[in-house]
Amino acid sequence: MEYILMHRTKEIARIELDEFSNIASIYEVYDSKHLPVGTVQKEVVNKRALAKWWSGRSIPASRQGLKEALQKLGMTVSQELLDKCYGLSLSDQYWILPKGERIAWEAINFFDHSFSEDVGNLLFGHGSASESMSLVSPDNTSDGQLMKKWKIADGKRILMKGSSKPYYQEALCEVIASRIASRLGINHVEYSVVWENEEPFSLCEDFITRDTELISASHIMNAFKKPNNLSEYEYYIQCAEKLGVSNIRKEVEKMIVLDFIIANEDRHFNNFGLVRNAVTLEWIGAAPIFDCGT
């Protein structure tokens, strides 16, 4: 089926998705400047890179509770959920518009409108699939291995994330790490904890708005060619500086110091990055530090 890849209100490219929501073809590019970061090489869209970016929007196969949820939905892979929510996310402003349909981003985005918690509840092992349930959810495009779901509380978009057996410590560690970061004056995401059925879950508010988006360090690094003489650390710094992000080295060093203090074992290029304005494409700066549960 053909779709228009959209960036907020801008048409970017005409693509085709196969039955499992993989990008099968790129027919035409309308605005290469708004294509996802790291998918354009030498001013030409790289189909493999774009397909990888798109598949990366789906829930990873290693997610707790995913296999059981897919079985209840009669699906085989999580990518099948992408087109059910138009590919919308609470981390960026990309989505897909079925060709020939008249749907406006202003009418469906998750920042301004409510969404179903049916998928999130299934991922948490609650309830069962039915014809009346809605699959229009930002949970379809959430990343990470731990059990998680989005909810709305007092008008705020809140991410609820679980912990892993046997100690269930990640949710508590998120809170401790955020308090240490606060003491050190390091820009970070604030976490709190709630208990359900004697298990802790972390809560944090979405730091992305309807006008901004998070671009992971891995995508930033895909935007340029890495010289052999640079470490990945220095290469990321260089990429961010090329994009015009000032004092990025200082911000990354703060993250490294915090990770050292809390003995974080899971900092990788997909859980830190930059924030940019999705309308003007202006780079705002380093994202607040998040995902410190391990």
Side-chain angles (χ1 to χ4, degrees), residues 229-239 241 249:
N229 65 325
L230 286 183
S231 65
E232 291 186 319
Y233 167 79
E234 289 293 343
Y235 178 54
Y236 174 67
I237 299 295
Q238 186 180 94
C239 290
E241 290 176 343
R249 185 181 298 274

Side-chain angles (χ1 to χ4, degrees), residues 94-279:
Y94 288 99
W95 61 290
I96 52 172
L97 171 65
K99 187 182 178 184
E101 294 192 20
R102 298 175 63 86
I103 303 173
W105 175 84
E106 292 89 349
I108 62 172
N109 75 82
F110 294 137
F111 296 92
D112 298 326
H113 302 280
S114 61
F115 47 81
S116 168
E117 292 188 26
D118 290 344
V119 174
N121 290 333
L122 274 185
L123 290 170
F124 270 57
H126 302 153
S128 58
S130 66
E131 292 184 1
S132 62
M133 74 180 299
S134 172
L135 300 181
V136 181
S137 167
D139 293 320
N140 301 3
T141 53
S142 62
D143 196 9
Q145 298 183 14
L146 292 176
M147 187 181 298
K148 63 177 63 172
K149 67 177 180 179
W150 285 100
K151 57 194 301 183
I152 299 176
D154 297 325
K156 299 177 180 178
R157 275 60 186 160
I158 305 295
L159 182 64
M160 181 177 182
K161 185 164 65 171
S163 302
S164 61
K165 297 178 181 179
Y167 303 113
Y168 299 97
Q169 67 182 28
E170 287 89 349
L172 302 174
C173 288
E174 293 281 18
V175 177
I176 296 171
S178 68
R179 292 184 180 180
I180 292 174
S182 180
R183 286 289 192 94
L184 295 174
I186 295 175
N187 186 25
H188 66 287
V189 173
E190 288 284 349
Y191 286 86
S192 60
V193 67
V194 295
W195 293 81
E196 289 189 3
N197 299 320
E198 299 186 348
E199 290 184 24
F201 295 86
S202 67
L203 301 177
C204 69
E205 184 179 349
D206 190 6
F207 61 87
I208 295 302
T209 70
R210 70 193 305 276
D211 297 320
T212 63
E213 55 193 359
L214 171 67
I215 311 296
S216 69
S218 62
H219 289 122
I220 299 294
M221 295 164 74
N222 286 336
F224 305 96
K225 182 175 175 58
K226 180 181 177 298
N228 293 330
N229 65 325
L230 286 183
S231 65
E232 291 186 319
Y233 167 79
E234 289 293 343
Y235 178 54
Y236 174 67
I237 299 295
Q238 186 180 94
C239 290
E241 290 176 343
K242 283 183 179 179
L243 295 173
V245 179
S246 60
N247 73 323
I248 184 63
R249 185 181 298 274
K250 184 175 182 181
E251 295 303 314
V252 173
E253 287 175 351
K254 288 180 181 178
M255 179 183 70
I256 292 174
V257 168
L258 177 64
D259 283 345
F260 176 78
I261 291 172
I262 65 175
N264 185 10
E265 298 178 339
D266 191 39
R267 183 65 62 198
H268 51 78
F269 290 104
N270 285 317
N271 63 8
F272 71 97
L274 304 177
V275 175
R276 75 171 179 178
N277 186 303
V279 181

Side-chain angles (χ1 to χ4, degrees), residues 32-54 94 213 215-225 235 239 243 276 283:
S32 61
K33 291 187 302 182
H34 282 264
L35 280 166
V37 175
T39 63
V40 178
Q41 298 170 0
K42 296 181 180 180
E43 300 184 357
V44 177
V45 60
N46 183 302
K47 178 188 172 183
R48 179 178 296 180
L50 186 65
K52 184 178 180 181
W53 166 84
W54 175 251
Y94 288 99
E213 55 193 359
I215 311 296
S216 69
S218 62
H219 289 122
I220 299 294
M221 295 164 74
N222 286 336
F224 305 96
K225 182 175 175 58
Y235 178 54
C239 290
L243 295 173
R276 75 171 179 178
W283 293 95

